[in-house]
Amino acid sequence: MAIRVLLVDDQPLLRTGFRMILEAESDIAVVGEAGDGQQALEQVRALQPDVVLMDIRMPRMDGVEATRRIAGPGRDGPAKVLVLTTFDLDEYVVEALRAGASGFLLKDVPAEELVQAIRVIADGAAMLAPSVTRRLLDMYATRLPSGDEAPPPSLSTLTDREMEVLKLVAKGLSNAEVAAELFVSETTVKTHVGHVLTKLGLRDRVQAAVFAYESGLVRPGGS
């Protein structure tokens, strides 16, 4: 079945451009458009898309709040959010990732990267490299906890090996690199990552990395 995509941007010209790119792909179907966050929520409920391509700065309701209501904690709908931004280090990107986004793209991204990102997210993975997540979190380190806070109770549900895997994912290692570091197979790593996501109630590796930094498990800029 085709991947169902909802386009959310307050600029009609950009939505038209994205639609032209995506509709040229046989496995992607643009099911609707929205010009602001409030309309996006209505369209998500009505159209049940797989992926929402979400602008951040919009009238009525911005993309961060819309993302939180679509993919945030406690939301079990199928839609995953891919954030669009003009600047790769926009502070709102961090807030969008915290709110439940599965990744972000620049608005001037090459067409093939946009298409690939949608496919990756629809398949249940995070579209941005963990190292990009780390760079974002490092830049906004002052917004993260000081490290004096008690760790969240959900961390205690992880085994020692799962904790190791979470730390390595947050530091930017791929499954293959984690496997090499821990002397296990990639299949084993994928199993551990799956357990971590389930136990912590997270959707993907991006949210796992954000969780690890916010909980103090990994410190910004640390090795």
Side-chain angles (χ1 to χ4, degrees), residues 98 137 141 143-152 155 163 166-167 170-171 208-220 222-223:
R98 286 173 169 170
L137 291 167
R143 303 169 66 89
L144 297 171
S146 64
D148 299 327
E149 298 83 355
L155 271 181
M163 194 82 76
L166 175 57
K167 290 178 181 179
K171 290 178 179 180
V210 172
F211 179 92
Y213 277 89
E214 292 193 316
S215 65
L217 191 63
V218 176
R219 301 309 308 158
S223 57

Side-chain angles (χ1 to χ4, degrees), residues 154-170:
S154 55
L155 271 181
S156 64
T157 66
L158 301 184
T159 65
D160 290 343
R161 179 46 61 93
E162 288 165 355
M163 194 82 76
E164 286 181 294
V165 169
L166 175 57
K167 290 178 181 179
L168 294 173
V169 166

Side-chain angles (χ1 to χ4, degrees), residues 72-164:
R75 309 292 179 179
D76 57 2
K80 300 178 178 66
V81 177
L82 176 58
V83 169
L84 295 168
T85 180
T86 306
F87 305 102
D88 64 344
L89 290 179
D90 190 324
E91 65 178 295
Y92 291 104
V93 170
V94 175
E95 296 302 325
L97 293 176
R98 286 173 169 170
S102 293
F104 80 95
L105 285 178
L106 294 179
K107 286 188 176 181
D108 60 355
V109 65
E112 61 272 16
E113 290 186 24
L114 171 64
V115 171
Q116 179 62 16
I118 288 173
R119 288 175 178 147
V120 168
I121 282 187
D123 192 42
M127 61 70 51
L128 74 166
S131 58
V132 177
T133 306
R134 181 177 183 180
R135 182 164 61 94
L136 282 167
L137 291 167
D138 283 350
M139 171 157 285
Y140 293 101
T142 57
R143 303 169 66 89
L144 297 171
S146 64
D148 299 327
E149 298 83 355
S154 55
L155 271 181
S156 64
T157 66
L158 301 184
T159 65
D160 290 343
R161 179 46 61 93
E162 288 165 355
M163 194 82 76
E164 286 181 294

Side-chain angles (χ1 to χ4, degrees), residues 20-36:
M20 291 176 62
I21 291 169
L22 298 179
E23 289 189 336
E25 304 297 323
S26 61
D27 62 337
I28 296 176
V30 177
V31 296
E33 299 182 15
D36 59 59

Side-chain angles (χ1 to χ4, degrees), residues 193-207:
V193 170
H195 289 165
V196 168
L197 298 181
T198 299
K199 289 181 177 181
L200 300 181
L202 305 172
R203 284 197 172 204
D204 51 44
R205 296 170 69 99
V206 170
Q207 292 185 29

